[in-house]
């Protein structure tokens, strides 16, 4: 048995990136450096840990790179003890390198199942003739040292060159020695999401910079005799830590249960013995036996014999069970995504297993384990998400630095002030550091997440589930949304519209009901060209195939119990299913003996059938008309094929073509190859099916267009059908034209070419196998471009300079394979679009994960197919999500600004009081921070989204002129308000200045502090109203009952404390007893004036007050490529050049050759 994985030519179909696509599970390494421990440095650092009281250790915890560079020296990767990895997000990680001694001679087993060039993969390091395996773990994946490449590579490289024949060679099973050795190399078959103990979580939480800052603040407050305030913060911090630990552990447990899968499976050993083992012990190459009652599969495996009915909703969101068929033999290199219909994936439920000949069990060979499986890759993307590069998140950090710079100014001022007052060194240190704790609010990052939490809860109530909450805010900035067609824009089910058979003179008349066809090959093709299966007597499978078979009136039967009798009825062939005609039809039953399932990349499926007694063998082919016509003999394709197809496609019908081919009765049908079956076919006819647009689709598309959101259709269907659906649902207006473009690849006879032509001209002139359409985007143009998969591939390969322009104006992408859908989304993101994607099945999985926001229409709540899963089975969930995203983003802005303004209000109050040798009292701080600010901030985000989508998107930049300008204006007005209150107080006849010889707290109560307490208290309340944005992305303020009620309560309490405070409360809050009622009324009125002034300025800023400053610097062009391109195309009326053949540059052709 040769297991070295000879390099055969790959399959003709391109690979489909889904779970294993580099986009979804990238090698995160951009840069890997090796380091070796230096003993004297390690001991020196240990001494410094003790001398610094652990601060150096804390610094190394926060900055792992610093810890490595300090204690280690650079060395070659082959000798490294520690690796420093910089990933694609520019984040740095430190991982340990493990070494494991391998048994002498065992490494030679790799030569049996891998190419010789990989033998040295585990010869990484030899010392005293001992062979050592060197590896490390990163993001759950195992990387081993490959000496030939001089780098660490994924351990999956050992089996990436397996061919179909290699996999069939594993059908005999592995020996115990091989299993043990492979287990040591590949590791356990476990998708293990670690559940950390509460103690470990506590240490990690407490060592967070936020809590370290909080701890330092508490110590500072304690030293300044702020015991009540510090004690409350301690209690709140403990509650916060407790809730955080509970939520983190709860999420870990949930993900752990979803990811971890341990079951008992039966495998075949090389001795032929069958053994039940734990799935944890499975290794690539194990032969797994799947029982008839099914199994929750714990690994990725290629099916070798028998068939399986599988529910893949956990991975893809597709609720329709999928029939898996055996992998054919051959020298093609195996790829789990290309051979999806021959592969059962980890985490999917095998509902039913149908064994091979003579009752043999279903056999499958393990191809991937652990995090290298499809499920493992998706779980890894949840555990270790890619950075979203969202501007709001970047600006939040810059804004904290901005507040920190203000804190430094305040600190310097307070030091100089206290020094002039001849304060003690302790008081100078305490007071100056206290300024930092006021200006840089430690709760700021946590506060802005409350908006996302509220939005996530509202979405869940409406049937939209989210596994990546940060993407909710990103959904508020979506600029283009892509939609799958079938099942997303249109109904899942299709109704048979009619059949047209091939005749010698062309096509027959349209037969609306296939059951009315005369018995013959066309009727047999319709009845047999499917991958349906029976479960408890009920046929299951693709809804299209269910309708097709149902329309013929034929019934399906499958072998039960002993298959020998049934097999003998059909010439001894292994029968998969029997199709029986109605009793009134004069024809015999037909047995299906081989299935080659539908592939999106191949755009076809085929079956091999046998009549009773095995007298004749016929292969039937079903697929896209263009593909079927290309595989049929030219003389059998009617001359009217192109015009007939164009006619029905323009009417929005789903058109399928069928073909047949007689096969020699003596041929071995068990080993016949797909390529042998699907060639030199005879064209049979066309099947038309009506796929109705969902009633919600036009309404939603119109809503998105009115909101200036671009909409794109990406489908695997015919281009003309797709254009018709685009017109029906409103993507293309009735007065807008479609421009067809043909892009041809380089061939031996011709150069690559690109041609644009109008719809009416192109539809009749172009070969429909190669037709490509391009549709212009809704930016004031009356043209739309559309393109199919073949032309898209040629465009990317030979006309990269035209690709951005085509992407800018294309509305319909047809005949797109799953990997092309993913590539398209990626290319759109390169233009700096914020891309949304909505789909309903496995073919969209890659695109859903590649988009900024992906929504899977699925009944499976726990699906990891995309960040969002909607139980609403139509696209009305799209505007719902966008509205919630915009609401969440606007609320996050409001919360961010409010917490920043709160800090600046307190900052101004404290500096003013410092100037007068006093400060706010302990419980005054507590009252402001907890009762006013925290309570208002918590309920501020409860307001829901607006019912309408506005044409403008909310801003995402905190570092912008309106935000910084309004903050500066409000701060100035706040200072004026507080200074006005102080000046007004000092102007009173009864005013007595503070005793300048006494420090801060000894002056309590005093009139200065009480006046600022009154004014600043109202400022905290009314600024919550000023910075809260509603129109046009949120419901008005009065819809948020909690917030409105709390505002009234806070205002009432504050007014009561200013006007008529009880003696006990006056004593408790250290307030001065002011008997002048007019003075109190003026303070309240002064605060009201301050409020209306700030509100007026906020409204003026919202309406463009600061735009005049932008005019001074001149209008700057947008930095986003898609906006620059849009402006360029609008100024170029000659694009696209119609009816002109464009050719690529010479350098492009040379490069591709």
């Amino acid at each position: 048995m040769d297991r070295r994985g000879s390099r055969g030519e790959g399959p003709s179909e391109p690979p489909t990136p889904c779970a294993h696509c580099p986009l979804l599970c990238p090698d995160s390494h951009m840069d890997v450096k090796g380091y070796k421990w230096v003993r004297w440095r390690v001991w020196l650092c240990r001494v410094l840990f003790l001398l610094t009281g652990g601060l150096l250790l804390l610094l190394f915890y926060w900055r792992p790179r610093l810890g490595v560079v300090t204690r280690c020296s650079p060395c070659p990767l082959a000798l490294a003890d520690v690796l420093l990895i910089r990933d694609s997000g520019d984040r740095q990680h430190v991982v340990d390198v493990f070494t494991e001694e391998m048994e002498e001679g065992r490494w030679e087993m790799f030569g049996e199942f891998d190419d010789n060039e990989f033998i040295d993969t585990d010869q990484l390091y030899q010392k005293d003739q001992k062979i050592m395996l060197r590896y490390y773990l990163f993001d759950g994946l195992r990387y081993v040292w490959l000496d030939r490449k001089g780098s660490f590579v994924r351990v999956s490289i050992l089996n990436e060159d397996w061919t179909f024949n290699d996999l069939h060679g594993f059908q005999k099973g592995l020996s115990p020695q091989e299993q043990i050795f492979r287990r040591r190399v590949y590791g356990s078959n476990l998708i293990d999401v670690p559940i950390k103990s509460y103690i470990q979580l506590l240490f990690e939480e407490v060592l967070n910079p936020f809590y370290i800052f909080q701890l330092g603040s508490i110590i500072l407050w304690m030293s300044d005799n702020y015991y009540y305030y510090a004690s409350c913060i301690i209690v709140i911090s403990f509650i916060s830590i407790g809730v955080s630990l509970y939520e983190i552990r709860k999420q870990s447990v949930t993900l752990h249960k979803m990811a971890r899968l341990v079951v008992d499976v039966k495998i075949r050993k090389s001795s032929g013995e069958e053994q039940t083992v734990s799935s944890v012990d499975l290794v690539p190459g194990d032969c797994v036996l799947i029982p008839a009652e099914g199994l929750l599969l714990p690994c990725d495996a290629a099916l070798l014999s028998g068939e399986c009915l599988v529910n893949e909703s956990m991975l893809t969101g597709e609720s329709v069970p999928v029939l898996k068929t055996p992998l054919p033999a051959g020298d093609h290199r195996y790829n789990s995504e290309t051979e999806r219909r021959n592969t059962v994936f980890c985490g999917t439920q095998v509902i039913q297993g149908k064994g091979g000949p003579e009752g043999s069990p279903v056999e499958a060979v393990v191809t991937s384990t652990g995090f290298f499986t499809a499920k493992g890759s998706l779980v890894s993307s949840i555990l270790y998400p890619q950075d979203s590069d969202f501007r709001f998140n970047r600006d939040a950090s810059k804004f904290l630095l901005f507040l920190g710079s203000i804190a430094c100014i305040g600190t310097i001022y307070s030091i100089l002030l206290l020094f002039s007052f001849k304060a003690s060194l302790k008081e100078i240190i305490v007071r100056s550091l206290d300024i930092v704790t006021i200006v840089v609010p430690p709760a700021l990052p946590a506060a802005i997440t409350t908006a996302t939490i509220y939005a996530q809860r509202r979405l869940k109530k409406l049937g939209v589930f989210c596994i990546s909450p940060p993407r909710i805010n990103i959904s508020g900035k979506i600029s283009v949304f892509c939609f799958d067609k079938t099942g997303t824009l249109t109904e899942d089910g299709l109704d048979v519209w009619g059949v047209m058979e091939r005749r010698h003179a062309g096509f027959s008349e349209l037969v609306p009901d296939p059951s009315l066809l005369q018995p013959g090959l066309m009727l047999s093709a319709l009845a047999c060209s499917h991958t349906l299966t029976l479960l408890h007597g009920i046929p299951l499978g693709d809804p299209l195939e269910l309708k097709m078979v149902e329309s013929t009136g034929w019934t399906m039967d499958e072998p039960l119990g002993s298959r020998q009798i049934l097999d003998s009825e059909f010439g001894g062939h292994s029968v998969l299913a029997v199709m029986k005609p109605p009793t009134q039809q004069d024809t015999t039953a037909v047995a299906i003996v081989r299935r080659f399932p539908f592939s999106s990349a191949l755009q076809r499926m085929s079956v091999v059938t046998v009549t009773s007694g095995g007298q004749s063998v016929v292969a039937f082919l079903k697929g896209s008309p263009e593909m079927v016509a290309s595989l049929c003999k030219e003389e059998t394709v009617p001359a009217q094929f192109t015009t007939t197809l164009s006619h029905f496609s323009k009417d929005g019908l789903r058109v399928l073509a069928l073909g047949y081919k007689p096969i020699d009765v003596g041929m071995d049908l068990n080993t016949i190859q797909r390529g042998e079956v699907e060639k030199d076919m005879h064209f049979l006819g066309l099947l038309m099916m009506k796929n109705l647009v969902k009633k919600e689709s036009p309404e939603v598309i119109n809503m998105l267009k009115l909101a200036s959101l671009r909409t794109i259709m990406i489908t695997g269907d015919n281009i003309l059908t797709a254009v018709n659906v685009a017109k029906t649902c409103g993507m293309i207006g009735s007065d807008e034209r479609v421009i067809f473009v043909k892009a041809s690849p380089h061939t031996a006879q011709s150069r690559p070419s690109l041609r644009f032509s109008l719809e009416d001209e192109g539809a009749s002139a172009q070969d429909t196998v190669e037709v490509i359409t391009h549709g212009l985007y809704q930016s004031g143009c009356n043209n739309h471009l559309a393109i199919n998969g073949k032309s898209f591939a040629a465009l990317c390969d030979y006309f990269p300079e035209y690709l951005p322009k085509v992407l800018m104006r294309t509305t319909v992408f047809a005949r797109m394979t799953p990997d092309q859908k993913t590539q398209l989304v990626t290319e759109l993101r390169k233009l700096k679009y914020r891309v949304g994607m909505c789909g309903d099945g496995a073919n969209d999985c890659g695109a859903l994960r590649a988009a900024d926001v992906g929504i899977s229409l699925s009944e499976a709540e726990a699906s990891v197919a995309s960040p969002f899963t909607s139980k609403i089975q139509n696209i009305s969930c799209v505007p719902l999500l966008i509205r919630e995203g915009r609401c969440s983003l606007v609320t996050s802005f409001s919360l961010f600004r409010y917490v920043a303004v709160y800090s600046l209000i307190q900052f101004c109050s404290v500096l003013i009081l410092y100037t007068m040798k006093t400060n706010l009292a302990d419980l005054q701080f507590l009252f402001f921070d907890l009762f006013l600010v925290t309570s208002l901030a918590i309920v501020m985000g409860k307001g829901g989204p607006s019912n309408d989508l506005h044409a403008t998107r909310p801003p995402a930049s905190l570092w912008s002129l309106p935000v910084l300008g309004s903050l500066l204006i409000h701060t100035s007005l706040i200072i004026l308000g507080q200074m006005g209150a102080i000046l007004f107080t000092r102007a009173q006849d009864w005013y007595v200045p503070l005793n300048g010889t006494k420090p801060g707290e000894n002056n309590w109560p005093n009139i200065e502090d009480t006046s600022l307490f009154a004014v600043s208290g109202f400022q905290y309340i009314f600024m919550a109203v000023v910075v809260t944005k509603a129109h046009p992305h949120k419901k008005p303020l009065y819809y948020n009952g909690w917030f409105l009620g709390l505002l009234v309560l806070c205002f009432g309490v504050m007014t009561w404390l200013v006007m008529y405070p009880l003696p006990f409360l006056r004593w408790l809050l250290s307030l001065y007893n002011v008997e002048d009622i007019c003075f109190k009324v003026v303070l309240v009125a002064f605060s009201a004036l301050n409020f209306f002034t700030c509100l007026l300025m906020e409204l003026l800023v919202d309406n463009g007050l600061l735009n005049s400053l932008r005019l001074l610097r001149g209008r700057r062009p947008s930095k986003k490529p898609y906006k620059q391109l849009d402006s360029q195309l609008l100024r170029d009326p000659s694009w696209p050049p119609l009816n002109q053949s464009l050719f690529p540059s010479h350098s492009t052709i040379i490069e591709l050759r």
Side-chain angles (χ1 to χ4, degrees):
M1 176 174 58
D2 183 10
R3 300 181 187 171
R4 289 177 294 179
S6 58
R7 296 176 178 271
E9 290 182 7
S12 59
E13 51 191 314
T16 303
C18 186
H20 298 289
C21 172
L23 179 69
L24 303 183
C25 49
D27 265 325
S28 301
H29 309 46
M30 288 181 63
D31 183 34
V32 182
K33 295 181 180 179
Y35 290 86
K36 201 169 187 63
W37 295 112
V38 178
R39 185 171 298 179
W40 70 266
R41 291 189 184 184
V42 173
W43 279 104
L44 179 60
C45 287
R46 289 174 180 173
V47 173
L48 292 176
F49 292 159
L50 297 175
L51 296 177
T52 59
L55 291 179
L56 183 62
L57 185 61
L58 184 63
L59 181 62
F60 287 172
Y61 176 79
W62 288 342
R63 292 288 181 265
R65 179 184 177 279
L66 185 60
V68 171
V69 173
T70 305
R71 292 175 288 180
C72 303
S73 62
C75 70
L77 290 178
L79 304 174
D81 299 321
V82 178
L83 298 179
L84 186 63
I85 300 172
R86 186 189 299 272
D87 65 17
S88 56
D90 206 32
R91 293 172 298 183
Q92 293 187 330
H93 310 267
V94 175
V95 296
D96 292 321
V97 176
F98 302 96
T99 59
E100 189 173 335
E101 183 178 341
M102 309 298 288
E103 293 183 36
E104 193 169 346
R106 288 293 177 207
W107 58 271
E108 295 177 355
M109 290 183 180
F110 280 120
E112 295 181 355
F113 63 87
D114 202 78
D115 200 287
N116 286 330
E117 66 181 81
F118 297 122
I119 290 178
D120 57 358
T121 300
D122 302 292
Q123 280 185 310
L124 344 152
Y125 176 54
Q126 293 194 19
K127 184 177 181 181
D128 299 331
Q129 301 301 316
K130 292 181 180 179
I131 300 170
M132 307 295 291
L133 172 69
R134 293 174 58 79
Y135 68 94
Y136 70 90
L137 302 174
F138 182 70
D139 286 358
L141 304 177
R142 178 177 286 223
Y143 294 80
V144 296
W145 175 256
L146 181 61
D147 194 50
R148 184 185 61 84
K149 290 190 174 183
S151 65
F152 285 93
V153 295
R154 291 187 177 192
V155 71
S156 57
I157 198 174
L158 299 176
N159 51 286
E160 70 174 7
D161 278 355
W162 281 351
T163 65
F164 294 1
N165 287 335
D166 292 332
L167 292 173
H168 278 279
F170 288 116
Q171 200 164 0
K172 296 180 180 179
L174 299 176
S175 67
Q177 293 79 12
E178 285 178 306
Q179 287 176 326
I180 293 171
F181 185 74
R182 289 170 186 244
R183 198 171 300 127
R184 295 179 68 180
V185 174
Y186 287 98
S188 299
N189 175 35
L190 204 59
I191 306 173
D192 193 19
V193 178
I195 301 177
K196 299 177 181 178
S197 66
Y198 278 110
I199 298 296
Q200 187 177 357
L201 287 173
L202 178 63
F203 273 101
E204 290 181 359
E205 193 74 10
V206 170
L207 293 178
N208 186 293
F210 159 68
Y211 285 111
I212 295 296
F213 182 71
Q214 196 80 290
L215 177 62
S217 301
I218 290 171
I219 295 173
L220 183 68
W221 296 328
M222 285 287 192
S223 66
D224 201 22
N225 300 327
Y226 283 84
Y227 299 118
Y228 293 119
Y229 183 75
S231 300
C232 285
I233 294 299
I234 290 173
V235 172
I236 292 173
S237 296
F238 273 116
I239 294 173
S240 175
I241 290 173
V243 171
S244 178
L245 295 187
Y246 172 76
E247 289 295 330
I248 292 173
R249 187 173 170 85
K250 180 182 176 182
Q251 292 174 6
S252 297
V253 170
T254 302
L255 191 56
H256 177 84
K257 290 179 179 178
M258 183 179 74
R260 187 180 177 89
L261 177 58
V262 179
V263 295
D264 288 336
V265 293
K266 185 176 288 187
I267 63 171
R268 177 178 293 133
K269 301 171 70 174
S270 58
S271 61
E273 176 189 355
E274 295 179 359
Q275 180 183 11
T276 300
V277 298
S278 171
S279 60
V280 177
D281 297 327
L282 290 177
V283 294
D286 269 329
C287 182
V288 177
L289 307 178
I290 301 175
E293 63 273 14
L295 172 72
L296 186 60
L297 210 71
C299 59
D300 287 356
L303 207 60
L304 300 182
S305 68
E307 294 182 336
C308 289
L309 186 64
V310 183
N311 181 353
E312 294 186 331
S313 61
M314 169 64 188
L315 292 182
T316 66
E318 178 62 70
S319 56
V320 177
V322 181
L323 183 68
K324 303 288 185 173
T325 57
L327 184 76
D331 291 328
H332 298 310
R333 183 185 300 179
Y334 171 78
N335 180 286
S336 63
E337 296 308 317
T338 306
E339 280 70 52
R340 285 190 66 88
R341 296 304 291 263
N342 311 116
T343 305
V344 279
F345 295 101
C346 177
T348 59
Q349 177 68 55
V350 177
I351 302 173
Q352 185 182 61
K354 301 175 184 178
E358 301 179 2
S360 60
V362 177
E363 298 171 332
V365 61
V366 178
T367 56
S368 299
T369 57
F371 278 96
F372 289 101
T373 62
K375 179 181 178 181
S377 297
L378 293 175
V379 171
S380 179
S381 69
I382 299 172
L383 283 175
Y384 315 103
Q386 296 286 303
D387 285 338
S388 61
D389 193 32
F390 193 41
R391 189 169 184 178
F392 180 79
N393 299 332
R394 297 198 312 268
D395 287 356
S397 302
K398 295 179 182 178
F399 206 83
L400 284 174
L401 292 176
F402 170 70
L403 292 178
S405 64
I406 294 178
C408 291
I409 296 172
T411 300
I412 295 170
Y413 173 78
S414 61
I415 290 174
L416 295 175
L417 189 66
L418 292 170
F419 184 77
S420 67
F421 291 159
K422 298 181 180 180
S424 64
L425 180 61
K426 175 189 174 184
E427 187 173 1
I428 292 176
I429 294 173
V430 170
R431 296 295 178 204
S432 58
L433 290 178
D434 194 30
I435 293 293
V436 178
T437 67
I438 290 172
V439 182
V440 185
L444 187 57
I448 59 177
T449 62
T450 58
T452 304
I453 294 171
Y454 285 129
Q456 187 177 8
R457 289 177 180 174
R458 288 193 296 264
L459 285 170
K460 187 174 182 180
K461 288 180 181 178
L462 296 172
V464 179
F465 302 91
C466 174
I467 61 172
S468 181
R471 295 193 185 238
I472 294 177
N473 275 355
I474 297 176
S475 66
K477 291 295 290 181
I478 290 297
S479 50
V480 58
F481 224 101
C482 305
F483 296 93
D484 178 39
K485 182 180 77 69
T486 306
T488 303
L489 293 171
T490 62
E491 298 288 351
D492 278 317
L494 293 93
D495 294 319
V496 174
W497 188 260
V499 179
M500 295 182 71
E501 289 188 88
R502 179 184 66 87
R503 293 284 187 259
H504 293 294
F507 283 103
S508 68
E509 294 294 323
L510 179 70
V511 180
D513 186 356
S515 64
L516 300 178
L517 290 171
Q518 293 297 318
L521 289 171
M522 185 65 178
L523 187 59
S524 297
L526 292 171
C528 299
S529 301
H530 61 81
T531 55
L532 302 179
T533 186
L534 293 178
L535 182 63
H536 307 304
I538 301 174
L540 295 176
D542 190 317
L544 181 151
E545 294 181 339
L546 285 169
K547 284 284 187 181
M548 181 184 70
V549 175
E550 180 185 338
S551 68
T552 64
W554 287 43
T555 57
M556 182 177 175
D557 194 12
E558 289 185 344
L560 298 173
S562 176
R563 307 164 57 99
Q564 296 180 358
I565 298 176
L566 184 61
D567 291 351
S568 62
E569 292 181 14
F570 293 93
H573 297 287
S574 178
V575 176
L576 300 176
V578 177
M579 302 304 300
K580 298 179 179 179
T583 53
Q584 64 269 24
Q585 288 189 9
D586 185 20
T587 185
T588 59
V590 178
I592 301 173
V593 295
R594 282 298 300 273
R595 286 186 177 118
F596 299 100
F598 176 78
S599 165
S600 298
L602 296 177
Q603 300 178 11
R604 63 184 185 268
M605 64 84 61
S606 59
V607 295
V608 178
T609 64
V610 177
T611 57
S612 181
Q615 297 176 357
S616 67
V617 180
V618 179
F620 292 112
L621 176 70
K622 173 173 66 76
S624 71
E626 303 95 334
M627 181 56 68
V628 171
S630 69
L631 296 173
C632 290
K633 293 181 179 179
E634 186 176 351
E635 62 270 17
T636 67
V637 180
Q640 305 91 339
F641 170 79
T642 299
T643 55
T644 304
L645 174 61
S646 175
H647 169 72
F648 286 116
S649 297
K650 282 185 176 181
D651 289 340
L653 296 174
R654 177 80 177 270
V655 185
L656 297 174
L658 296 102
Y660 81 98
K661 182 176 77 172
I663 294 180
D664 186 2
V665 177
M667 184 172 289
D668 185 359
L669 302 183
N670 292 322
T671 59
I672 191 171
Q673 297 295 309
R674 183 169 193 160
E676 181 70 21
V677 172
E678 297 175 346
K679 70 175 183 179
D680 298 330
M681 305 289 288
H682 298 262
F683 193 84
L684 269 175
L686 300 175
L687 168 67
M688 279 67 69
M689 306 191 81
K690 186 67 174 177
N691 191 201
L692 299 175
V693 173
K694 293 180 179 179
K695 62 180 182 180
E696 298 86 0
S697 296
E699 180 183 348
V700 171
I701 296 299
N702 183 57
M703 187 187 305
L704 296 178
K705 291 178 70 174
L706 291 175
S708 299
L709 287 171
R710 181 182 172 189
T711 55
I712 291 176
M713 181 194 298
I714 313 176
T715 178
D717 209 342
N718 178 275
I719 187 69
L720 297 175
T721 303
V723 168
N724 178 275
V725 172
K727 291 179 177 179
T728 304
C729 67
M731 284 187 179
I732 300 175
S734 57
D735 59 338
E736 296 173 328
R737 300 178 304 175
V738 176
I739 293 179
F740 289 81
V741 179
K742 179 179 180 179
S744 302
H746 177 75
T747 64
Q749 293 79 26
S750 63
R751 297 173 58 191
S753 64
L754 178 65
R755 186 177 179 83
F756 298 81
S757 57
L758 287 173
E759 180 178 11
D760 294 336
E761 301 168 6
S764 59
Q766 295 180 42
D767 180 4
T768 54
V769 177
E770 297 292 334
V771 73
I772 297 175
T773 11
H774 288 270
L776 290 181
Y777 161 50
Q778 313 93 305
S779 59
C781 301
N782 293 321
N783 298 321
H784 291 258
L785 299 178
I787 188 169
N788 71 10
K790 288 185 178 180
S791 292
F792 180 73
L795 187 70
C796 294
D797 289 342
Y798 298 99
F799 301 92
E801 68 276 15
Y802 287 99
L803 179 61
K805 292 183 179 180
V806 170
L807 293 178
M808 282 298 302
R809 294 293 184 254
T810 304
T811 299
V812 175
F813 291 85
R815 291 287 187 235
M816 297 286 281
T817 59
D819 61 322
Q820 288 177 327
K821 291 183 180 183
T822 305
Q823 183 183 1
L824 171 61
V825 170
T826 305
E827 293 295 337
L828 288 171
R829 291 189 65 185
K830 288 180 181 178
L831 294 176
K832 296 304 179 183
Y833 274 114
R834 285 291 175 188
V835 184
M837 174 71 194
C838 183
D840 71 330
N843 293 338
D844 309 314
C845 179
L848 289 170
R849 301 295 300 185
D852 291 289
V853 174
I855 312 176
S856 173
L857 305 184
S858 170
E859 293 291 336
E861 178 180 336
S863 172
V864 292
S866 66
F868 296 91
T869 304
S870 172
K871 287 193 174 183
I872 305 171
Q873 295 300 297
N874 57 68
I875 64 171
S876 62
C877 61
V878 171
L880 174 67
L881 176 60
I882 295 174
R883 287 191 291 111
E884 284 290 357
R886 291 183 174 185
C887 174
S888 175
L889 186 57
V890 168
T891 305
S892 296
F893 254 80
S894 298
L895 282 165
F896 201 102
R897 293 177 64 205
Y898 179 58
V899 176
V901 168
Y902 138 71
S903 299
L904 292 173
I905 292 172
Q906 202 164 89
F907 172 71
C908 297
S909 301
V910 170
L911 286 185
I912 291 172
L913 292 176
Y914 273 9
T915 308
M916 293 179 289
K917 296 186 178 180
T918 186
N919 198 1
L920 293 171
D922 189 357
L923 291 180
Q924 288 176 2
F925 276 118
L926 197 62
F927 174 76
F928 289 151
D929 289 358
L930 298 186
F931 181 73
L932 293 184
V933 176
T934 302
S935 59
L936 288 172
I938 287 174
V939 299
M940 188 183 290
K942 289 185 72 68
S946 171
N947 293 326
D948 301 315
L949 273 179
H950 199 262
T952 59
R953 294 175 294 155
S957 174
L958 290 165
W959 206 252
S960 62
L961 183 61
V963 175
L964 295 178
S966 66
L967 192 65
L968 179 61
I969 291 172
H970 292 323
T971 304
S972 301
L973 293 174
I974 285 165
I975 294 173
L976 287 175
Q978 294 185 7
M979 289 299 298
I982 291 294
L983 294 175
F984 177 69
T985 301
R986 288 187 168 185
Q988 301 305 307
D989 296 336
W990 42 262
Y991 171 73
V992 178
L994 279 174
N995 186 344
T997 61
K998 294 183 179 181
E1001 63 271 12
N1002 293 327
N1003 284 320
W1004 294 330
N1006 59 73
I1007 186 59
E1008 289 88 348
D1009 168 61
T1010 302
S1011 299
L1012 275 187
F1013 172 83
V1015 174
S1016 63
F1018 283 116
Q1019 287 175 338
Y1020 291 126
I1021 298 170
F1022 71 65
M1023 285 309 299
V1025 178
V1026 170
V1027 302
T1028 298
K1029 301 290 184 183
H1031 180 79
H1033 304 299
K1034 285 183 65 177
K1035 289 181 178 178
L1037 182 65
Y1038 51 80
Y1039 278 93
N1040 189 349
W1042 282 93
F1043 184 55
L1044 194 63
L1046 194 58
L1047 280 172
V1048 174
L1049 175 63
C1050 291
F1051 180 77
V1053 170
M1054 197 65 217
T1055 305
W1056 175 49
L1057 288 175
V1058 173
M1059 300 296 295
Y1060 305 105
L1062 294 175
F1064 171 73
L1065 289 177
R1066 194 168 61 238
W1067 168 81
L1068 191 65
L1069 294 172
S1070 303
L1071 297 176
Y1072 187 81
N1073 184 20
V1074 181
E1075 297 180 354
D1076 188 348
I1077 193 68
C1078 293
F1079 173 76
K1080 298 178 183 180
V1081 171
V1082 171
L1083 281 183
V1084 176
F1086 196 76
S1087 300
L1089 177 63
N1090 200 191
F1091 162 59
F1092 287 114
T1093 307
C1094 288
L1095 185 60
L1096 176 63
M1097 295 307 298
E1098 182 71 16
L1099 293 174
L1100 291 175
V1101 170
D1102 285 345
N1103 287 279
L1105 174 66
L1106 301 177
N1107 287 344
S1108 56
L1109 298 178
R1110 289 178 174 172
L1111 295 176
L1112 295 176
R1113 73 176 186 187
R1115 185 175 181 83
R1116 295 182 180 178
S1118 173
K1119 295 181 180 179
K1120 295 182 177 179
Y1122 80 89
K1123 290 187 176 181
Q1124 295 175 359
L1125 267 174
D1126 188 49
S1127 300
Q1128 178 184 339
L1129 292 176
L1130 287 174
R1131 294 192 303 268
D1132 185 6
S1134 64
W1135 198 91
L1138 296 177
N1139 302 318
Q1140 299 178 29
S1141 294
L1142 306 176
F1143 300 98
S1145 62
H1146 180 70
S1147 58
T1148 305
I1149 301 175
I1150 295 297
E1151 178 183 348
L1152 290 171
R1153 286 179 179 176

